[in-house]
Amino acid sequence: MLYRVLADLVLVAHFAFILFAIFGGLLVLLRYHIIWLHVPALVWGAAIVGLGAICPLTPLENTLRGLAGQQAYTGSFLEHYLLLAIYPPGLTREVQVLLAAGLVILNVIIYILVWRRHGRHKTAGRKN
């Protein structure tokens, strides 16, 4: 039972990390100091997707599921839980690279907005 709960916690943490990597830039618009957490998460997420690598949380979850007597899955977290929801059937390596690039481009746009907003606050503070 303990291993199943731990595996489920890893699953939830993994999903939360993916959401943070994708949408964390929007949180930075509200709380600038989160930038120090989001940038490494963004780089890691884009690298894992862009390189077609397996996140270390996937084997950890599988190990815990195996210890709990459950069936481990093959492939990555995204392939097992989110493939049909996020990726279309017939996903190619080129499409994966484009998705990683899109993730980075989306967040670059968000960070331009962050920089403009944060830069204005700093400039306004210096004028007063």
Side-chain angles (χ1 to χ4, degrees), residues 57-91:
L57 292 175
T58 300
L60 174 60
E61 180 191 349
N62 278 327
T63 299
L64 292 169
R65 295 226 180 270
L67 291 170
Q70 294 180 315
Q71 180 75 29
Y73 57 87
T74 59
S76 72
F77 174 88
L78 292 176
E79 290 169 341
H80 182 71
Y81 289 107
L82 304 173
L83 183 64
L84 294 177
I86 295 176
Y87 297 127
L91 177 69

Side-chain angles (χ1 to χ4, degrees), residues 37-48:
L37 296 173
H38 182 249
V39 170
L42 172 62
V43 170
W44 177 265
I48 291 293

Side-chain angles (χ1 to χ4, degrees), residues 104-116:
V104 172
I105 290 168
L106 170 68
N107 279 279
V108 165
I109 292 168
I110 291 170
Y111 275 106
I112 288 170
L113 295 172
V114 168
W115 179 73
R116 285 183 176 173

